[in-house]
């Protein structure tokens, strides 16, 4: 069992967290969005080997945050509260 | 029509339900007044007089009334006496909701308390302090902190009977020296 760090609560059991997708995958906006942008937003995932930036939510307290973790070693590098802003 | 209710065990009468094994005593805490407060928690503390720090996971709650932090903008106010304050939205920037009947409270004490906690969560109760008291305990969402020498656990009332059977099993395992 792995512990993940919630920016507010601190370490918690991984089962308390829910994955929310790649960080920075912003929904396209506007009437003239090219189809490639929608395809990219909906279907293409970066799936990096190594450091990944991801959105997670701590379901126990409702905190949304960006977690940086290594997809090879599973080591967590950082967790940062979103504070209402969309992750860049 | 099939009676599905018979598949569930009858929940205990919380007024006198106890689990007692060598090293561990567990009971239900009745009569606590509980309210959820969301929004501007500093404004709430000023308006209500609940001015002590809100305890987090395994934190020590003291006094006749105290608050337990659940999230960045949410806490549970607990009191042995009625609040003497309205519920609803307050223009100072917070909302108060009555939840006394929604959360069942249990208290666990005894020298085997650490063994009990170790079966409920992978968190280290002696680790660095945590800002919120919400965590997964025995596989369900719970509010967990200390009160005097006991561990206090609040769970949704609908999950109380489950937690009780879990605690009965764990207490029996601890008493027989099982590692489970
Ligand atoms: Zn949290």
């Amino acid at each position: 069992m792995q512990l993940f760090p919630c920016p507010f609560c601190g370490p918690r059991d991984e089962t308390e967290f829910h994955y929310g997708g790649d960080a920075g995958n912003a929904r396209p906006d506007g009437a003239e969005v090219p189809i490639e942008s929608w395809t990219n937003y909906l279907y293409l995932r970066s799936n990096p080997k190594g450091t990944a930036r991801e959105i997670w939510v701590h379901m126990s307290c409702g905190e949304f945050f960006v977690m940086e973790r290594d997809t090879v070693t599973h080591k967590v590098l950082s967790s940062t509260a979103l504070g209402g802003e969309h992750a860049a | 029509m099939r009676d599905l209710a018979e598949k569930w065990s009858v929940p205990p009468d919380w007024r006198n339900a106890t689990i007692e094994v060598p090293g561990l005593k567990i009971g239900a805490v009745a009569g606590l007044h509980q309210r959820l407060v969301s929004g501007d928690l500093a404004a709430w503390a000023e308006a209500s007089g609940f001015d002590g720090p809100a305890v987090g996971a395994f934190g020590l709650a003291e006094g006749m009334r105290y608050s337990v932090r659940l999230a960045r903008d949410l806490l549970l106010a607990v009191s042995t006496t009625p609040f003497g304050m309205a519920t609803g939205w307050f223009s100072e920037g917070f909302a108060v909701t009555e939840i006394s009947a929604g959360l069942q409270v249990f208290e666990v004490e005894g020298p085997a308390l650490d063994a009990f906690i170790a079966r409920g969560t992978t968190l280290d109760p002696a680790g660095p302090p945590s800002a919120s008291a919400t965590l997964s305990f025995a596989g369900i969402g719970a509010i967990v902190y200390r009160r005097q020498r006991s561990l206090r656990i609040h769970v949704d009332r609908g999950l109380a009977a489950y937690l009780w059977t879990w605690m009965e099993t764990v207490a029996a395992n601890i008493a027989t020296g099982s590692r489970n």
Side-chain angles (χ1 to χ4, degrees):
Chain A
M1 192 73 78
Q2 187 173 14
L3 296 179
F4 282 159
C6 167
F8 181 70
C9 305
R12 285 289 190 276
D13 199 297
E14 63 175 290
T15 56
E16 296 183 27
F17 295 84
H18 189 76
Y19 177 62
D22 291 338
N25 186 27
R27 190 178 192 277
D29 192 23
E32 300 293 318
V33 176
I35 194 161
E36 291 77 14
S37 300
W38 279 115
T39 306
N40 190 26
Y41 168 70
L42 289 171
Y43 301 115
L44 298 185
R45 299 291 172 259
S46 15
N47 193 27
K49 180 181 183 183
T51 304
R53 275 171 57 79
E54 300 164 334
I55 305 288
W56 286 78
V57 59
H58 182 209
M59 294 181 291
S60 302
C61 78
E63 181 98 351
F64 280 82
F65 62 100
V66 175
M67 181 155 67
E68 269 191 310
R69 62 182 190 98
D70 191 303
T71 55
V72 180
T73 64
H74 289 187
K75 191 176 159 68
V76 176
L77 307 167
S78 71
S79 75
T80 313
L82 278 171
E85 309 265 318
H86 199 290
Chain B
M1 190 189 273
R2 277 190 304 165
D3 181 11
L4 295 175
E6 68 189 20
K7 291 180 181 288
W8 277 267
S9 50
V10 178
D13 180 352
W14 299 126
R15 286 169 301 180
N16 49 35
T18 47
I19 300 170
E20 214 167 342
V21 296
L24 215 53
K25 187 165 181 256
I26 306 172
V29 184
L32 283 181
H33 300 265
Q34 305 177 71
R35 282 184 179 177
L36 283 174
V37 181
S38 58
D40 187 336
L41 302 183
W44 146 263
E46 194 169 322
S48 67
F50 272 70
D51 44 9
V55 295
F58 305 109
L60 182 66
E62 292 176 294
M64 297 280 283
R65 51 189 214 162
Y66 56 87
S67 46
V68 184
R69 195 72 178 266
L70 306 185
R72 215 177 269 279
D73 58 356
L74 184 68
L75 62 74
L76 179 74
V78 182
S79 175
T80 51
T81 55
F83 282 90
M85 190 176 174
T87 54
W89 170 253
F90 288 75
S91 57
E92 291 95 323
F94 59 87
V96 181
T97 313
E98 176 64 36
I99 193 154
S100 303
L103 296 174
Q104 175 66 48
V105 187
F106 297 107
E107 217 161 55
V108 188
E109 63 181 52
L113 184 56
D114 283 348
F116 174 87
I117 293 171
R119 285 163 171 80
T121 172
T122 47
L123 286 186
D124 178 5
S130 166
S132 94
T134 49
L135 54 98
S136 173
F137 195 90
I140 56 173
I143 301 165
V144 183
Y145 57 93
R146 292 178 193 274
R147 172 79 176 168
Q148 291 163 344
R149 298 178 59 173
S150 307
L151 188 76
R152 233 174 220 193
I153 307 172
H154 301 230
V155 291
D156 286 357
R157 194 177 60 167
L159 298 173
Y162 155 72
L163 184 62
W164 191 257
T165 56
W166 183 90
M167 293 194 293
E168 283 178 326
T169 305
V170 158
N173 288 348
I174 289 173
T176 57
S178 161
R179 293 170 63 87
N180 293 328

